[in-house]
Amino acid sequence: MYGGGGGGGGGQHTNGSMGEAAAMQALKMFTSGGAGSGGQGSQGGGNNQSQFIGMAMGQASRLFDQQNGSGNVHPSASKEGVVQEAAKMALKMYMKGQMGGGGGGAGGLMGMAGKLLG
């Protein structure tokens, strides 16, 4: 479900690779309407932004638990680090989508998701 996430030789995931995978999963969920009530609405970009970043952080926490249970986590990785990386990546995605998308943040994310996913 989460894609390769950069798990090279030994398949051990780092903060960065798991954070990136979590942010990508949140992007897919957010743009497919999984953001909950009125996720795509134009009610203030800040609301969409915090919703998207919150989704990425939640995905990161779940992904860390899942990978840690399977023994696929690099010794230097931590749950806090993964969540932090996911939030940073989500913010970058959101800002990039907002600048390149011309409309609101959600519209920009839709455009970006279209480029990334197909």
Side-chain angles (χ1 to χ4, degrees), residues 1-5 20-22 24-26 28-29 58-59 62-63 66-67 117:
M1 178 159 122
Y2 285 99
E20 187 175 343
M24 287 298 297
Q25 185 65 25
K28 288 180 201 174
M29 289 168 61
Q59 287 300 312
R62 269 188 292 267
L63 179 59
Q66 179 187 356
Q67 294 299 321
L117 305 174

Side-chain angles (χ1 to χ4, degrees), residues 57-83:
M57 292 170 77
Q59 287 300 312
S61 179
R62 269 188 292 267
L63 179 59
F64 181 85
D65 290 341
Q66 179 187 356
Q67 294 299 321
N68 197 31
S70 306
N72 295 331
V73 175
H74 193 274
S76 67
S78 69
K79 191 172 196 171
E80 294 79 14
V82 172
V83 169

Side-chain angles (χ1 to χ4, degrees), residues 30 45-57 94:
F30 191 82
N47 187 31
N48 283 333
Q49 179 182 349
S50 55
Q51 210 172 19
F52 176 55
I53 293 171
M55 286 175 83
M57 292 170 77
Y94 189 89

